[in-house]
Amino acid sequence: MADCFQIPSTMRIGPYQLKNNLVVAPMAGVTDRPFRQLCKRLGAGMAVSEMVTSNSLLYGSAKTRRRANHDGEVEPVSVQIAGADPVMLAEAARYNVAHGAQIIDINMGCPAKKICNVMAGSALLKDELLVGRILSAVVSAVPDTPVTLKIRTGWDRDHRNALNILRIAEDSGIQALAMHGRTRACGYTGHAEYDTIASVKAVARIPIIANGDITTPEKAAHVLAHTGADAVMIGRAAQGRPWIFREMHHYLQTGEHLPSPGVDEVYRILRDHLLELYSFYGELTGMRVARKHISWYTRGLRDSAQFRHAMNQLQSVAEQLQAVDDFFDRCRNIATHIDDAALVIRPGDSGLQGEADE
């Protein structure tokens, strides 16, 4: 793994020098402010907010306004917007900058049907002229704020146009490009196309962030070395495992692995995360949002399927916290480290799946 020592360890977006080149992917329903802050504390260099659609932002629900809340967030604050109308996206960018965004990210990578059916997300890759109009409109709307772009390799295997999108992005003033190594048609199946990312990086004049299937420190090192990318973006692998960023950072710096977190540390991280969720959302909504995070933190552990089923029936914060306390007390009785606690993985004990634009 000596090659990992030659890999750049940081990157710059506009005026912002990131502390490292590990980025939290925008994931719908996951990368809220508490999760972004947690990942940054545990080693991420930047975290992109969950996607906010331009029309809902401008015509506003309380839920959407909450997504635009960045109070106390560690810099830089990167906010992802989505839509298909250049004028509305430009206005959404201005709104977010006025409310604390320091980087605006444009979503042209989401494969979800509800997004693509309104010609947003990765569906925009089918209309390169519209891509150009959107990027130019947003960059012009916030001239003092860096604008970045998230894409896939194309709409399908017969229409991979990432190189064309790169040229449009560079000509429009986009300052970094994140690229998931699959087409929209692939969804999350098959293997990420690191060769395609490498071909884009080879001619790019802006930083390239590689995304897709980056689940371990070794994989992060491999993808950085193979693609030449300036950074990697981590999504689903961080669900219930936010310490993955410190593990990756340490490995990229030293070629060595950190010990897996102990049961007590995982318990402290989870419990602090829960308290942040209750504070951010209010107790009722926070308790409901917390369920999926609890499931992710405990997946693979002994009897966790039974625990999750029981926990999802609970209707108060006090009950939820007590259930977590009791479960981790049982874990302490059988293991010192989380890896040791995964002694019995029952069929179907893989946790919940979250919506992800990863």
Side-chain angles (χ1 to χ4, degrees), residues 284-324:
L284 180 60
T285 301
M287 178 193 65
R288 292 170 177 168
V289 171
R291 289 170 178 162
K292 62 190 171 190
H293 289 282
I294 295 170
S295 295
W296 291 328
Y297 278 98
T298 59
R299 64 188 163 191
L301 300 183
R302 184 192 295 269
D303 297 326
S304 61
Q306 292 174 313
F307 162 70
R308 284 196 302 270
H309 177 74
M311 182 268 300
N312 286 337
Q313 314 307 311
L314 303 178
Q315 298 300 318
S316 75
V317 163
E319 290 176 320
Q320 190 174 72
L321 287 174
Q322 188 62 56
V324 169

Tab-separated table of all heavy atoms in Angstrom, residues 284-324:
chain	number	residue	atom	x	y	z
A	284	LEU	N	-40.857	14.324	18.710
A	284	LEU	CA	-41.650	13.343	17.957
A	284	LEU	C	-41.005	13.013	16.619
A	284	LEU	O	-40.757	11.843	16.303
A	284	LEU	CB	-43.081	13.855	17.751
A	284	LEU	CG	-44.010	12.911	16.968
A	284	LEU	CD1	-44.132	11.574	17.689
A	284	LEU	CD2	-45.377	13.554	16.760
A	285	THR	N	-40.714	14.042	15.819
A	285	THR	CA	-40.080	13.792	14.519
A	285	THR	C	-38.676	13.240	14.704
A	285	THR	O	-38.245	12.337	13.980
A	285	THR	CB	-40.039	15.080	13.688
A	285	THR	OG1	-41.374	15.560	13.493
A	285	THR	CG2	-39.393	14.846	12.333
A	286	GLY	N	-37.959	13.760	15.696
A	286	GLY	CA	-36.606	13.280	15.950
A	286	GLY	C	-36.572	11.806	16.283
A	286	GLY	O	-35.690	11.071	15.831
A	287	MET	N	-37.553	11.351	17.076
A	287	MET	CA	-37.625	9.944	17.433
A	287	MET	C	-37.842	9.085	16.187
A	287	MET	O	-37.225	8.021	16.031
A	287	MET	CB	-38.765	9.715	18.419
A	287	MET	CG	-38.962	8.274	18.826
A	287	MET	SD	-40.534	8.015	19.667
A	287	MET	CE	-41.688	8.393	18.347
A	288	ARG	N	-38.703	9.558	15.278
A	288	ARG	CA	-38.973	8.788	14.056
A	288	ARG	C	-37.766	8.771	13.133
A	288	ARG	O	-37.436	7.731	12.544
A	288	ARG	CB	-40.199	9.372	13.358
A	288	ARG	CG	-41.490	9.148	14.161
A	288	ARG	CD	-42.651	9.932	13.599
A	288	ARG	NE	-43.887	9.643	14.336
A	288	ARG	CZ	-45.003	10.351	14.218
A	288	ARG	NH1	-45.063	11.387	13.387
A	288	ARG	NH2	-46.068	10.021	14.925
A	289	VAL	N	-37.109	9.916	12.976
A	289	VAL	CA	-35.905	9.964	12.147
A	289	VAL	C	-34.821	9.068	12.747
A	289	VAL	O	-34.065	8.404	12.025
A	289	VAL	CB	-35.398	11.421	12.023
A	289	VAL	CG1	-34.025	11.471	11.344
A	289	VAL	CG2	-36.403	12.276	11.244
A	290	ALA	N	-34.759	9.032	14.065
A	290	ALA	CA	-33.700	8.282	14.752
A	290	ALA	C	-33.782	6.786	14.486
A	290	ALA	O	-32.766	6.080	14.565
A	290	ALA	CB	-33.776	8.544	16.249
A	291	ARG	N	-34.977	6.274	14.192
A	291	ARG	CA	-35.134	4.825	14.050
A	291	ARG	C	-34.185	4.240	13.007
A	291	ARG	O	-33.562	3.199	13.223
A	291	ARG	CB	-36.588	4.491	13.691
A	291	ARG	CG	-37.560	4.698	14.843
A	291	ARG	CD	-38.990	4.591	14.372
A	291	ARG	NE	-39.938	4.731	15.485
A	291	ARG	CZ	-41.222	5.026	15.337
A	291	ARG	NH1	-41.724	5.203	14.109
A	291	ARG	NH2	-42.001	5.143	16.390
A	292	LYS	N	-34.085	4.894	11.855
A	292	LYS	CA	-33.234	4.322	10.810
A	292	LYS	C	-31.760	4.391	11.211
A	292	LYS	O	-30.979	3.480	10.918
A	292	LYS	CB	-33.465	5.023	9.475
A	292	LYS	CG	-33.146	6.502	9.446
A	292	LYS	CD	-33.648	7.123	8.151
A	292	LYS	CE	-33.551	8.644	8.192
A	292	LYS	NZ	-34.254	9.263	7.046
A	293	HIS	N	-31.384	5.473	11.914
A	293	HIS	CA	-29.992	5.571	12.333
A	293	HIS	C	-29.660	4.496	13.362
A	293	HIS	O	-28.590	3.875	13.302
A	293	HIS	CB	-29.714	6.967	12.897
A	293	HIS	CG	-29.703	8.035	11.858
A	293	HIS	ND1	-28.631	8.241	11.016
A	293	HIS	CD2	-30.648	8.954	11.503
A	293	HIS	CE1	-28.899	9.244	10.193
A	293	HIS	NE2	-30.127	9.689	10.467
A	294	ILE	N	-30.560	4.263	14.312
A	294	ILE	CA	-30.346	3.196	15.296
A	294	ILE	C	-30.197	1.854	14.585
A	294	ILE	O	-29.330	1.035	14.917
A	294	ILE	CB	-31.504	3.153	16.300
A	294	ILE	CG1	-31.538	4.446	17.123
A	294	ILE	CG2	-31.380	1.952	17.218
A	294	ILE	CD1	-32.798	4.601	17.972
A	295	SER	N	-31.013	1.634	13.572
A	295	SER	CA	-30.931	0.382	12.811
A	295	SER	C	-29.586	0.234	12.130
A	295	SER	O	-28.996	-0.855	12.108
A	295	SER	CB	-32.064	0.321	11.787
A	295	SER	OG	-33.313	0.260	12.426
A	296	TRP	N	-29.086	1.323	11.561
A	296	TRP	CA	-27.790	1.253	10.889
A	296	TRP	C	-26.651	1.022	11.871
A	296	TRP	O	-25.741	0.248	11.600
A	296	TRP	CB	-27.542	2.538	10.087
A	296	TRP	CG	-28.447	2.682	8.904
A	296	TRP	CD1	-28.964	1.683	8.141
A	296	TRP	CD2	-28.938	3.909	8.355
A	296	TRP	NE1	-29.755	2.214	7.144
A	296	TRP	CE2	-29.760	3.579	7.250
A	296	TRP	CE3	-28.783	5.256	8.673
A	296	TRP	CZ2	-30.401	4.533	6.468
A	296	TRP	CZ3	-29.419	6.221	7.904
A	296	TRP	CH2	-30.224	5.857	6.810
A	297	TYR	N	-26.681	1.694	13.005
A	297	TYR	CA	-25.618	1.516	13.994
A	297	TYR	C	-25.564	0.081	14.523
A	297	TYR	O	-24.507	-0.409	14.897
A	297	TYR	CB	-25.815	2.461	15.177
A	297	TYR	CG	-25.326	3.880	14.979
A	297	TYR	CD1	-26.192	4.901	14.613
A	297	TYR	CD2	-23.987	4.212	15.205
A	297	TYR	CE1	-25.756	6.214	14.463
A	297	TYR	CE2	-23.532	5.516	15.048
A	297	TYR	CZ	-24.420	6.507	14.677
A	297	TYR	OH	-23.975	7.806	14.520
A	298	THR	N	-26.703	-0.578	14.590
A	298	THR	CA	-26.754	-1.894	15.238
A	298	THR	C	-26.823	-3.060	14.267
A	298	THR	O	-26.855	-4.205	14.702
A	298	THR	CB	-27.973	-1.966	16.184
A	298	THR	OG1	-29.179	-1.734	15.430
A	298	THR	CG2	-27.863	-0.942	17.295
A	299	ARG	N	-26.844	-2.805	12.973
A	299	ARG	CA	-26.989	-3.903	12.016
A	299	ARG	C	-25.813	-4.868	12.142
A	299	ARG	O	-24.668	-4.478	12.357
A	299	ARG	CB	-27.081	-3.359	10.585
A	299	ARG	CG	-25.859	-2.639	10.089
A	299	ARG	CD	-26.098	-1.964	8.749
A	299	ARG	NE	-25.067	-0.971	8.486
A	299	ARG	CZ	-25.132	-0.090	7.496
A	299	ARG	NH1	-26.166	-0.071	6.686
A	299	ARG	NH2	-24.162	0.784	7.317
A	300	GLY	N	-26.128	-6.132	12.018
A	300	GLY	CA	-25.109	-7.156	12.091
A	300	GLY	C	-24.776	-7.621	13.487
A	300	GLY	O	-24.071	-8.618	13.645
A	301	LEU	N	-25.247	-6.905	14.509
A	301	LEU	CA	-24.944	-7.315	15.876
A	301	LEU	C	-25.931	-8.378	16.355
A	301	LEU	O	-27.057	-8.469	15.858
A	301	LEU	CB	-24.985	-6.103	16.812
A	301	LEU	CG	-23.990	-4.979	16.481
A	301	LEU	CD1	-24.094	-3.875	17.517
A	301	LEU	CD2	-22.570	-5.509	16.403
A	302	ARG	N	-25.502	-9.153	17.322
A	302	ARG	CA	-26.313	-10.247	17.837
A	302	ARG	C	-27.702	-9.748	18.253
A	302	ARG	O	-27.834	-8.773	18.995
A	302	ARG	CB	-25.628	-10.891	19.038
A	302	ARG	CG	-26.344	-12.122	19.594
A	302	ARG	CD	-25.776	-12.508	20.946
A	302	ARG	NE	-24.390	-12.943	20.863
A	302	ARG	CZ	-24.009	-14.200	20.688
A	302	ARG	NH1	-24.915	-15.164	20.550
A	302	ARG	NH2	-22.723	-14.515	20.644
A	303	ASP	N	-28.724	-10.412	17.751
A	303	ASP	CA	-30.128	-10.144	18.094
A	303	ASP	C	-30.607	-8.759	17.679
A	303	ASP	O	-31.625	-8.266	18.168
A	303	ASP	CB	-30.374	-10.315	19.602
A	303	ASP	CG	-30.123	-11.749	20.048
A	303	ASP	OD1	-30.393	-12.670	19.252
A	303	ASP	OD2	-29.659	-11.942	21.188
A	304	SER	N	-29.888	-8.111	16.749
A	304	SER	CA	-30.280	-6.744	16.397
A	304	SER	C	-31.581	-6.693	15.599
A	304	SER	O	-32.302	-5.695	15.658
A	304	SER	CB	-29.164	-6.052	15.609
A	304	SER	OG	-28.882	-6.736	14.404
A	305	ALA	N	-31.919	-7.754	14.858
A	305	ALA	CA	-33.187	-7.747	14.125
A	305	ALA	C	-34.357	-7.693	15.099
A	305	ALA	O	-35.312	-6.925	14.905
A	305	ALA	CB	-33.296	-8.981	13.233
A	306	GLN	N	-34.293	-8.490	16.156
A	306	GLN	CA	-35.362	-8.456	17.160
A	306	GLN	C	-35.406	-7.105	17.853
A	306	GLN	O	-36.478	-6.557	18.112
A	306	GLN	CB	-35.126	-9.563	18.202
A	306	GLN	CG	-35.294	-10.970	17.655
A	306	GLN	CD	-34.907	-12.012	18.682
A	306	GLN	OE1	-33.868	-11.919	19.333
A	306	GLN	NE2	-35.760	-13.019	18.829
A	307	PHE	N	-34.219	-6.570	18.144
A	307	PHE	CA	-34.145	-5.259	18.788
A	307	PHE	C	-34.779	-4.182	17.920
A	307	PHE	O	-35.574	-3.367	18.387
A	307	PHE	CB	-32.685	-4.911	19.081
A	307	PHE	CG	-32.443	-3.452	19.338
A	307	PHE	CD1	-32.911	-2.840	20.499
A	307	PHE	CD2	-31.752	-2.670	18.414
A	307	PHE	CE1	-32.693	-1.491	20.734
A	307	PHE	CE2	-31.528	-1.335	18.633
A	307	PHE	CZ	-32.005	-0.746	19.798
A	308	ARG	N	-34.446	-4.175	16.619
A	308	ARG	CA	-34.988	-3.147	15.726
A	308	ARG	C	-36.502	-3.243	15.646
A	308	ARG	O	-37.204	-2.221	15.628
A	308	ARG	CB	-34.370	-3.283	14.330
A	308	ARG	CG	-32.956	-2.773	14.234
A	308	ARG	CD	-32.554	-2.584	12.773
A	308	ARG	NE	-32.670	-3.822	12.008
A	308	ARG	CZ	-31.688	-4.696	11.871
A	308	ARG	NH1	-30.533	-4.499	12.473
A	308	ARG	NH2	-31.843	-5.775	11.143
A	309	HIS	N	-36.997	-4.448	15.539
A	309	HIS	CA	-38.450	-4.619	15.445
A	309	HIS	C	-39.137	-4.046	16.686
A	309	HIS	O	-40.127	-3.315	16.569
A	309	HIS	CB	-38.799	-6.100	15.296
A	309	HIS	CG	-40.275	-6.354	15.256
A	309	HIS	ND1	-41.052	-6.060	14.149
A	309	HIS	CD2	-41.129	-6.858	16.203
A	309	HIS	CE1	-42.314	-6.364	14.416
A	309	HIS	NE2	-42.392	-6.855	15.652
A	310	ALA	N	-38.610	-4.346	17.847
A	310	ALA	CA	-39.206	-3.839	19.080
A	310	ALA	C	-39.031	-2.321	19.182
A	310	ALA	O	-39.961	-1.598	19.567
A	310	ALA	CB	-38.576	-4.528	20.284
A	311	MET	N	-37.840	-1.837	18.819
A	311	MET	CA	-37.554	-0.407	18.921
A	311	MET	C	-38.466	0.414	18.017
A	311	MET	O	-38.901	1.519	18.373
A	311	MET	CB	-36.078	-0.178	18.569
A	311	MET	CG	-35.594	1.249	18.672
A	311	MET	SD	-35.746	2.127	17.090
A	311	MET	CE	-34.695	1.127	16.031
A	312	ASN	N	-38.795	-0.111	16.843
A	312	ASN	CA	-39.637	0.638	15.904
A	312	ASN	C	-41.086	0.764	16.361
A	312	ASN	O	-41.856	1.524	15.773
A	312	ASN	CB	-39.587	-0.019	14.513
A	312	ASN	CG	-38.274	0.238	13.809
A	312	ASN	OD1	-37.578	1.205	14.103
A	312	ASN	ND2	-37.923	-0.637	12.882
A	313	GLN	N	-41.454	0.029	17.396
A	313	GLN	CA	-42.812	0.140	17.940
A	313	GLN	C	-42.903	1.186	19.044
A	313	GLN	O	-44.003	1.538	19.480
A	313	GLN	CB	-43.284	-1.214	18.499
A	313	GLN	CG	-43.029	-2.410	17.598
A	313	GLN	CD	-43.563	-2.226	16.193
A	313	GLN	OE1	-44.716	-1.829	16.025
A	313	GLN	NE2	-42.741	-2.516	15.196
A	314	LEU	N	-41.774	1.666	19.527
A	314	LEU	CA	-41.771	2.579	20.668
A	314	LEU	C	-42.251	3.956	20.250
A	314	LEU	O	-42.003	4.404	19.123
A	314	LEU	CB	-40.369	2.658	21.261
A	314	LEU	CG	-39.771	1.310	21.709
A	314	LEU	CD1	-38.355	1.501	22.247
A	314	LEU	CD2	-40.669	0.633	22.735
A	315	GLN	N	-42.894	4.661	21.164
A	315	GLN	CA	-43.575	5.905	20.809
A	315	GLN	C	-43.115	7.106	21.623
A	315	GLN	O	-43.765	8.148	21.606
A	315	GLN	CB	-45.089	5.730	20.975
A	315	GLN	CG	-45.696	4.676	20.073
A	315	GLN	CD	-45.495	4.981	18.591
A	315	GLN	OE1	-45.635	6.129	18.163
A	315	GLN	NE2	-45.143	3.963	17.818
A	316	SER	N	-41.998	6.991	22.338
A	316	SER	CA	-41.501	8.138	23.084
A	316	SER	C	-39.984	8.143	23.080
A	316	SER	O	-39.337	7.089	22.927
A	316	SER	CB	-42.008	8.125	24.527
A	316	SER	OG	-41.319	7.163	25.296
A	317	VAL	N	-39.417	9.325	23.257
A	317	VAL	CA	-37.966	9.461	23.325
A	317	VAL	C	-37.411	8.661	24.499
A	317	VAL	O	-36.387	7.981	24.376
A	317	VAL	CB	-37.582	10.950	23.436
A	317	VAL	CG1	-36.138	11.109	23.913
A	317	VAL	CG2	-37.764	11.644	22.090
A	318	ALA	N	-38.066	8.743	25.641
A	318	ALA	CA	-37.579	8.032	26.824
A	318	ALA	C	-37.505	6.529	26.569
A	318	ALA	O	-36.525	5.861	26.943
A	318	ALA	CB	-38.487	8.327	28.021
A	319	GLU	N	-38.531	5.974	25.932
A	319	GLU	CA	-38.531	4.539	25.632
A	319	GLU	C	-37.434	4.191	24.636
A	319	GLU	O	-36.777	3.149	24.750
A	319	GLU	CB	-39.895	4.134	25.068
A	319	GLU	CG	-41.032	4.158	26.068
A	319	GLU	CD	-42.359	3.833	25.417
A	319	GLU	OE1	-42.612	4.307	24.285
A	319	GLU	OE2	-43.140	3.092	26.039
A	320	GLN	N	-37.251	5.053	23.646
A	320	GLN	CA	-36.237	4.790	22.634
A	320	GLN	C	-34.835	4.787	23.246
A	320	GLN	O	-34.028	3.883	22.977
A	320	GLN	CB	-36.328	5.837	21.514
A	320	GLN	CG	-35.482	5.524	20.301
A	320	GLN	CD	-35.725	6.508	19.170
A	320	GLN	OE1	-35.303	7.665	19.259
A	320	GLN	NE2	-36.406	6.070	18.114
A	321	LEU	N	-34.541	5.794	24.059
A	321	LEU	CA	-33.233	5.856	24.700
A	321	LEU	C	-33.007	4.672	25.634
A	321	LEU	O	-31.916	4.111	25.682
A	321	LEU	CB	-33.085	7.169	25.469
A	321	LEU	CG	-32.899	8.429	24.625
A	321	LEU	CD1	-32.914	9.670	25.512
A	321	LEU	CD2	-31.608	8.376	23.821
A	322	GLN	N	-34.048	4.274	26.371
A	322	GLN	CA	-33.905	3.139	27.265
A	322	GLN	C	-33.631	1.855	26.491
A	322	GLN	O	-32.817	1.020	26.903
A	322	GLN	CB	-35.167	2.975	28.122
A	322	GLN	CG	-35.035	1.919	29.223
A	322	GLN	CD	-33.949	2.281	30.224
A	322	GLN	OE1	-33.979	3.358	30.827
A	322	GLN	NE2	-32.976	1.390	30.402
A	323	ALA	N	-34.294	1.710	25.341
A	323	ALA	CA	-34.071	0.515	24.520
A	323	ALA	C	-32.636	0.467	24.010
A	323	ALA	O	-32.009	-0.603	23.985
A	323	ALA	CB	-35.054	0.500	23.349
A	324	VAL	N	-32.107	1.614	23.611
A	324	VAL	CA	-30.717	1.670	23.160
A	324	VAL	C	-29.775	1.336	24.307
A	324	VAL	O	-28.820	0.559	24.154
A	324	VAL	CB	-30.403	3.067	22.569
A	324	VAL	CG1	-28.899	3.244	22.349
A	324	VAL	CG2	-31.150	3.270	21.257
